[in-house]
């Protein structure tokens, strides 16, 4: 077992348990994990994998880590934020990406030139979060406006309702 990987796992698990205890004390906690890809690789390495292949237990462990996020009825909430490498050029990273990409509630695509790619980013279950007019407005923005135009619209408005009203004109 790789000592670096074991320490990575120990630290991640300690942070997760600490966050869960504070959630149980009715506190709202945000746990920021630098890279779920690295955590999954550490789980793979500590799971006894000696090949370049990715073991299923490594993906299961990463999914369990992310599944700890919750909003407790009588307590606080635990939000987990993490980067997931897209796996370009590395078959193991590609397998990790494929195995975890649908696990989260939000997908934000980052670009080197901008903070995020608003055209490829989305929230899972947005139909539960947004009204039909807001979903239509988001679709129209992605299809018909440049990033600069969208940012300008955000600066000029204070709510989704205002954006929808502007787009309806």
């Amino acid at each position: 077992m790789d000592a670096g990987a074991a320490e990575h796992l120990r630290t991640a698990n300690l942070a997760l348990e600490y966050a869960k205890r504070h959630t149980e004390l009715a506190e709202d906690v945000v746990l920021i994990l630098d890279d779920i890809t690295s955590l999954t690789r550490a789980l793979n390495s500590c799971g006894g994998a000696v090949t370049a292949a990715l073991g299923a237990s490594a993906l299961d462990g990463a999914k369990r880590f992310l599944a700890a996020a919750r909003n407790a009825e009588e307590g606080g909430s635990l939000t987990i934020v993490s980067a997931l490498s897209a796996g370009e050029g590395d078959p193991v990273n590609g397998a990790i990406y494929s195995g975890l990409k649908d696990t989260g509630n939000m997908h934000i695509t980052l670009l080197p030139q901008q903070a995020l790619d608003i055209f490829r980013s989305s929230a899972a279950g947005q139909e539960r979060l947004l009204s039909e007019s807001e979903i239509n407005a988001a679709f129209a923005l992605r299809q018909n406006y440049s990033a600069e135009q969208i940012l300008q619209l955000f600066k000029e408005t204070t709510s989704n309702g205002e954006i929808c009203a502007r787009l309806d004109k």
Side-chain angles (χ1 to χ4, degrees):
M1 172 166 58
D2 182 0
E7 185 62 21
H8 186 137
L9 292 176
R10 188 181 80 73
T11 303
N13 285 323
L14 283 172
L16 181 61
E17 290 304 317
Y18 181 84
K20 286 164 59 174
R21 295 303 78 81
H22 281 271
T23 300
E24 291 166 358
L25 296 171
E27 295 178 24
D28 296 324
V29 180
V30 177
L31 178 62
I32 300 175
L33 179 63
D34 181 41
D35 186 4
I36 193 75
T37 310
S38 296
L39 180 69
T40 307
R41 281 182 170 275
L43 286 162
N44 198 50
S45 145
C46 291
V50 292
T51 67
L54 180 66
S57 64
L59 282 175
D60 289 342
K63 287 179 182 179
R64 278 193 304 278
F65 190 94
L66 294 172
R70 67 196 59 186
N71 187 10
E73 284 186 31
E74 298 295 323
S77 65
L78 173 56
T79 301
I80 300 175
V81 178
S82 179
L84 172 62
S85 299
E88 296 166 3
D90 183 331
V92 174
N93 281 1
I96 293 169
Y97 178 78
S98 294
L100 296 178
K101 68 179 177 172
D102 295 326
T103 303
N105 292 335
M106 181 172 236
H107 173 110
I108 298 174
T109 302
L110 302 176
L111 295 173
Q113 312 89 339
Q114 298 170 251
L116 61 102
D117 183 347
I118 59 175
F119 301 104
R120 291 181 20 205
S121 301
S122 63
Q126 65 184 5
E127 64 280 353
R128 294 186 319 254
L129 302 171
L130 303 172
S131 68
E132 186 176 341
S133 65
E134 291 169 331
I135 290 172
N136 292 337
F139 180 77
L141 287 172
R142 288 185 176 117
Q143 296 298 312
N144 304 316
Y145 291 79
S146 70
E148 292 77 20
Q149 290 172 313
I150 294 171
L151 290 174
Q152 187 60 40
L153 184 62
F154 287 173
K155 288 177 186 175
E156 295 170 359
T157 57
T158 59
S159 70
N160 289 347
E162 278 186 61
I163 293 171
C164 291
R166 284 237 189 138
L167 294 177
D168 287 340
K169 288 183 183 179

